Amino acid sequence: MAVSDFRPFLIRLLTVARAETAALTALFVAALSVTVFVEIADDMTEADGQSFDRQVLSLMRPSADDPGRPWGPWWLKEAAADLTSLGGISVLGLFALIVVLFLLSQRKWLSSLLLVLGLTGGVMLSEGLKAVFERERPPQALQAVETINASFPSGHALLATVFYLSVAVMLTRAFPRRRFKIFVLGVGMVMALLVGLTRIYLGAHWATDVFAGWAVGSAWAMLLWLVAYGVARWQKRRRAPLQDEPSPTADETPGDPTKV
Protein backbone atom coordinates (compact mmCIF):
# COMPACT_ATOMS: atom_id res chain seq x y z
CA MET A 1 0.00 0.00 0.00
CA ALA A 2 1.39 3.38 -1.00
CA VAL A 3 2.24 6.00 1.56
CA SER A 4 -0.25 8.37 -0.07
CA ASP A 5 -3.04 5.96 0.89
CA PHE A 6 -2.37 6.64 4.55
CA ARG A 7 -2.64 10.39 4.13
CA PRO A 8 -6.43 10.69 4.57
CA PHE A 9 -6.25 8.40 7.59
CA LEU A 10 -3.45 10.40 9.21
CA ILE A 11 -5.23 13.68 8.55
CA ARG A 12 -8.40 12.33 10.11
CA LEU A 13 -6.45 10.94 13.07
CA LEU A 14 -4.74 14.29 13.71
CA THR A 15 -8.06 16.11 13.43
CA VAL A 16 -9.68 13.83 15.99
CA ALA A 17 -6.66 14.06 18.31
CA ARG A 18 -6.72 17.86 18.12
CA ALA A 19 -10.43 17.98 18.90
CA GLU A 20 -10.17 15.44 21.70
CA THR A 21 -7.06 16.78 23.43
CA ALA A 22 -8.76 17.02 26.83
CA ALA A 23 -10.12 13.47 26.64
CA LEU A 24 -6.76 12.06 25.55
CA THR A 25 -5.00 13.93 28.35
CA ALA A 26 -7.45 12.61 30.93
CA LEU A 27 -7.01 9.08 29.59
CA PHE A 28 -3.22 9.42 29.76
CA VAL A 29 -3.34 10.71 33.35
CA ALA A 30 -5.65 7.86 34.37
CA ALA A 31 -3.39 5.23 32.79
CA LEU A 32 -0.27 6.76 34.31
CA SER A 33 -1.89 6.93 37.75
CA VAL A 34 -2.91 3.27 37.62
CA THR A 35 0.64 2.32 36.64
CA VAL A 36 2.06 4.35 39.53
CA PHE A 37 -0.33 2.70 41.98
CA VAL A 38 0.64 -0.79 40.80
CA GLU A 39 4.33 0.06 41.24
CA ILE A 40 3.76 1.46 44.72
CA ALA A 41 1.68 -1.54 45.77
CA ASP A 42 4.48 -3.82 44.58
CA ASP A 43 7.26 -1.84 46.30
CA MET A 44 5.26 -1.61 49.52
CA THR A 45 5.91 -5.29 50.29
CA GLU A 46 9.64 -5.08 49.50
CA ALA A 47 12.46 -4.02 51.79
CA ASP A 48 13.29 -0.86 49.84
CA GLY A 49 9.75 0.46 50.02
CA GLN A 50 9.45 -0.26 53.74
CA SER A 51 12.84 1.35 54.41
CA PHE A 52 11.73 4.51 52.59
CA ASP A 53 8.55 4.71 54.68
CA ARG A 54 10.50 4.35 57.92
CA GLN A 55 13.01 7.01 56.90
CA VAL A 56 10.26 9.51 56.08
CA LEU A 57 8.49 8.78 59.37
CA SER A 58 11.72 9.17 61.35
CA LEU A 59 12.29 12.57 59.75
CA MET A 60 8.87 13.66 60.99
CA ARG A 61 9.65 12.38 64.52
CA PRO A 62 13.08 13.75 65.53
CA SER A 63 12.44 13.77 69.32
CA ALA A 64 13.52 10.50 70.90
CA ASP A 65 12.06 11.48 74.29
CA ASP A 66 8.63 12.26 72.77
CA PRO A 67 8.12 10.10 69.66
CA GLY A 68 4.53 11.25 69.25
CA ARG A 69 5.49 14.90 68.77
CA PRO A 70 5.98 15.78 65.09
CA TRP A 71 8.74 17.98 63.75
CA GLY A 72 8.33 21.74 64.03
CA PRO A 73 6.65 24.20 66.41
CA TRP A 74 3.45 23.36 68.29
CA TRP A 75 1.27 25.47 66.01
CA LEU A 76 2.35 23.47 62.95
CA LYS A 77 0.83 20.34 64.44
CA GLU A 78 -2.40 22.21 65.17
CA ALA A 79 -2.50 23.59 61.62
CA ALA A 80 -1.87 20.14 60.15
CA ALA A 81 -4.67 18.67 62.27
CA ASP A 82 -7.04 21.33 60.93
CA LEU A 83 -5.99 20.87 57.32
CA THR A 84 -6.13 17.08 57.41
CA SER A 85 -9.84 17.25 58.23
CA LEU A 86 -10.41 18.67 54.75
CA GLY A 87 -10.00 15.10 53.51
CA GLY A 88 -12.28 13.51 56.08
CA ILE A 89 -15.50 11.89 54.95
CA SER A 90 -17.64 14.19 57.13
CA VAL A 91 -16.14 17.40 55.76
CA LEU A 92 -16.11 16.12 52.19
CA GLY A 93 -19.69 14.95 52.57
CA LEU A 94 -20.74 18.43 53.71
CA PHE A 95 -18.81 20.11 50.89
CA ALA A 96 -20.30 17.65 48.39
CA LEU A 97 -23.82 18.42 49.60
CA ILE A 98 -23.21 22.14 49.15
CA VAL A 99 -21.74 21.68 45.67
CA VAL A 100 -24.53 19.31 44.58
CA LEU A 101 -27.22 21.72 45.78
CA PHE A 102 -25.50 24.53 43.89
CA LEU A 103 -25.27 22.43 40.72
CA LEU A 104 -28.92 21.48 41.00
CA SER A 105 -29.87 25.14 41.39
CA GLN A 106 -28.01 25.80 38.14
CA ARG A 107 -29.78 22.87 36.45
CA LYS A 108 -26.55 20.91 36.08
CA TRP A 109 -28.32 17.58 36.35
CA LEU A 110 -25.61 15.38 34.90
CA SER A 111 -22.76 16.98 36.87
CA SER A 112 -24.74 16.62 40.11
CA LEU A 113 -25.37 12.93 39.54
CA LEU A 114 -21.81 12.15 38.50
CA LEU A 115 -20.32 14.01 41.47
CA VAL A 116 -22.44 11.97 43.89
CA LEU A 117 -21.59 8.72 42.10
CA GLY A 118 -17.92 9.69 41.92
CA LEU A 119 -17.54 10.43 45.63
CA THR A 120 -19.57 7.36 46.61
CA GLY A 121 -17.48 5.22 44.30
CA GLY A 122 -14.31 6.74 45.77
CA VAL A 123 -15.37 5.69 49.28
CA MET A 124 -16.12 2.16 48.09
CA LEU A 125 -12.81 2.02 46.21
CA SER A 126 -10.87 3.20 49.26
CA GLU A 127 -12.48 0.72 51.63
CA GLY A 128 -12.16 -2.11 49.11
CA LEU A 129 -8.44 -1.54 48.57
CA LYS A 130 -7.86 -1.29 52.32
CA ALA A 131 -9.59 -4.64 52.77
CA VAL A 132 -7.44 -6.21 50.06
CA PHE A 133 -4.04 -5.01 51.29
CA GLU A 134 -4.74 -4.84 55.06
CA ARG A 135 -1.57 -2.91 55.78
CA GLU A 136 -0.79 -1.93 59.35
CA ARG A 137 -0.55 1.76 60.12
CA PRO A 138 2.55 3.37 61.68
CA PRO A 139 3.08 2.54 65.36
CA GLN A 140 0.41 4.01 67.62
CA ALA A 141 3.02 5.89 69.65
CA LEU A 142 4.03 7.88 66.54
CA GLN A 143 0.52 8.89 65.52
CA ALA A 144 -0.54 12.44 66.36
CA VAL A 145 -4.19 11.77 65.42
CA GLU A 146 -6.60 8.91 65.94
CA THR A 147 -6.98 6.48 63.06
CA ILE A 148 -9.25 3.60 62.09
CA ASN A 149 -9.14 0.67 59.65
CA ALA A 150 -6.19 -0.27 57.42
CA SER A 151 -3.46 2.03 56.15
CA PHE A 152 -3.05 1.38 52.41
CA PRO A 153 -4.04 3.44 50.51
CA SER A 154 -4.73 6.67 52.37
CA GLY A 155 -8.46 7.29 52.29
CA HIS A 156 -8.01 10.98 53.05
CA ALA A 157 -5.59 11.44 50.14
CA LEU A 158 -7.75 9.38 47.78
CA LEU A 159 -11.06 11.07 48.56
CA ALA A 160 -9.55 14.56 48.67
CA THR A 161 -8.03 14.01 45.23
CA VAL A 162 -11.31 12.68 43.82
CA PHE A 163 -13.45 15.46 45.24
CA TYR A 164 -11.27 18.53 44.78
CA LEU A 165 -10.06 17.55 41.32
CA SER A 166 -13.59 16.66 40.18
CA VAL A 167 -15.01 19.95 41.44
CA ALA A 168 -12.11 21.89 39.93
CA VAL A 169 -12.64 20.29 36.52
CA MET A 170 -16.37 21.08 36.70
CA LEU A 171 -15.67 24.70 37.63
CA THR A 172 -13.32 25.18 34.67
CA ARG A 173 -16.37 25.05 32.41
CA ALA A 174 -17.65 28.23 34.03
CA PHE A 175 -14.43 30.18 33.38
CA PRO A 176 -13.79 31.05 29.72
CA ARG A 177 -10.35 32.52 30.36
CA ARG A 178 -7.31 30.24 30.51
CA ARG A 179 -5.74 31.82 33.60
CA PHE A 180 -8.89 31.21 35.64
CA LYS A 181 -8.99 27.58 34.51
CA ILE A 182 -5.36 27.16 35.57
CA PHE A 183 -6.08 28.82 38.92
CA VAL A 184 -9.06 26.57 39.69
CA LEU A 185 -7.20 23.40 38.73
CA GLY A 186 -4.19 24.55 40.74
CA VAL A 187 -6.32 25.09 43.84
CA GLY A 188 -7.82 21.61 43.47
CA MET A 189 -4.40 19.99 43.24
CA VAL A 190 -3.01 22.01 46.16
CA MET A 191 -5.92 20.98 48.37
CA ALA A 192 -5.33 17.30 47.58
CA LEU A 193 -1.58 17.67 48.17
CA LEU A 194 -2.06 19.43 51.51
CA VAL A 195 -4.39 16.73 52.82
CA GLY A 196 -1.96 13.98 51.84
CA LEU A 197 1.08 15.72 53.29
CA THR A 198 -0.65 16.28 56.62
CA ARG A 199 -1.41 12.55 56.85
CA ILE A 200 2.31 11.82 56.56
CA TYR A 201 3.28 14.63 58.95
CA LEU A 202 0.81 13.51 61.61
CA GLY A 203 1.96 9.88 61.39
CA ALA A 204 -1.48 8.66 60.32
CA HIS A 205 -0.06 6.98 57.21
CA TRP A 206 3.15 5.76 55.69
CA ALA A 207 4.35 7.95 52.82
CA THR A 208 3.59 5.26 50.22
CA ASP A 209 0.01 5.08 51.50
CA VAL A 210 -0.47 8.72 50.57
CA PHE A 211 1.29 8.36 47.21
CA ALA A 212 -1.02 5.45 46.39
CA GLY A 213 -4.06 7.47 47.51
CA TRP A 214 -3.09 10.32 45.21
CA ALA A 215 -2.60 7.89 42.31
CA VAL A 216 -5.92 6.08 42.75
CA GLY A 217 -7.77 9.34 43.36
CA SER A 218 -6.32 10.92 40.22
CA ALA A 219 -7.22 7.88 38.12
CA TRP A 220 -10.77 7.79 39.49
CA ALA A 221 -11.27 11.54 38.99
CA MET A 222 -10.07 11.32 35.38
CA LEU A 223 -12.25 8.30 34.67
CA LEU A 224 -15.20 10.15 36.17
CA TRP A 225 -14.53 13.10 33.88
CA LEU A 226 -14.24 10.81 30.86
CA VAL A 227 -17.58 9.23 31.71
CA ALA A 228 -19.16 12.66 32.10
CA TYR A 229 -17.64 13.77 28.80
CA GLY A 230 -18.85 10.69 26.93
CA VAL A 231 -22.33 10.69 28.45
CA ALA A 232 -22.76 14.41 27.79
CA ARG A 233 -21.87 14.00 24.13
CA TRP A 234 -24.11 10.95 23.75
CA GLN A 235 -27.06 12.68 25.40
CA LYS A 236 -26.56 15.89 23.45
CA ARG A 237 -26.82 14.03 20.16
CA ARG A 238 -30.03 12.33 21.32
CA ARG A 239 -31.40 15.36 23.21
CA ALA A 240 -31.75 13.30 26.39
CA PRO A 241 -33.39 14.99 29.42
CA LEU A 242 -30.53 14.40 31.87
CA GLN A 243 -28.18 17.13 30.65
CA ASP A 244 -26.43 20.16 32.10
CA GLU A 245 -28.06 23.35 30.96
CA PRO A 246 -25.59 25.76 29.36
CA SER A 247 -24.07 28.32 31.71
CA PRO A 248 -25.29 31.89 31.30
CA THR A 249 -21.75 32.94 30.36
CA ALA A 250 -21.85 30.72 27.29
CA ASP A 251 -23.88 33.31 25.38
CA GLU A 252 -21.87 36.32 26.48
CA THR A 253 -19.56 38.10 24.10
CA PRO A 254 -16.00 36.74 24.59
CA GLY A 255 -14.44 40.14 24.01
CA ASP A 256 -16.49 41.99 26.60
CA PRO A 257 -14.00 43.01 29.35
CA THR A 258 -16.78 43.38 31.90
CA LYS A 259 -17.59 39.67 31.73
CA VAL A 260 -15.56 37.06 33.61
Side-chain angles (χ1 to χ4, degrees), residues 88-106:
I89 187 63
S90 299
V91 174
L92 289 179
L94 177 61
F95 286 175
L97 178 61
I98 295 172
V99 173
V100 168
L101 291 176
F102 171 76
L103 291 173
L104 290 175
S105 70
Q106 300 299 308

Side-chain angles (χ1 to χ4, degrees), residues 22-144:
L24 291 175
T25 302
L27 185 60
F28 172 77
V29 172
L32 180 62
S33 299
V34 171
T35 302
V36 170
F37 172 77
V38 172
E39 290 294 328
I40 294 174
D42 183 58
D43 292 341
M44 177 191 68
T45 59
E46 298 179 356
D48 291 342
Q50 295 175 1
S51 175
F52 171 76
D53 281 330
R54 294 191 185 97
Q55 289 177 3
V56 173
L57 186 60
S58 65
L59 288 175
M60 298 293 101
R61 298 293 183 276
S63 301
D65 57 337
D66 188 7
R69 182 166 63 88
W71 171 87
W74 66 268
W75 56 263
L76 186 59
K77 175 184 174 182
E78 297 298 323
D82 292 337
L83 290 173
T84 202
S85 63
L86 295 174
I89 187 63
S90 299
V91 174
L92 289 179
L94 177 61
F95 286 175
L97 178 61
I98 295 172
V99 173
V100 168
L101 291 176
F102 171 76
L103 291 173
L104 290 175
S105 70
Q106 300 299 308
R107 299 181 181 274
K108 304 294 185 180
W109 315 119
L110 180 60
S111 295
S112 303
L113 176 62
L114 289 175
L115 182 60
V116 172
L117 293 178
L119 191 58
T120 303
V123 173
M124 296 175 62
L125 189 59
S126 174
E127 295 301 317
L129 290 172
K130 286 177 181 292
V132 169
F133 290 97
E134 295 185 337
R135 187 185 194 185
E136 294 291 333
R137 288 184 183 264
Q140 186 69 35
L142 302 180
Q143 298 182 24

Side-chain angles (χ1 to χ4, degrees), residues 1-10:
M1 185 178 294
V3 176
S4 59
D5 295 336
F6 287 99
R7 237 177 122 182
F9 171 75
L10 292 175

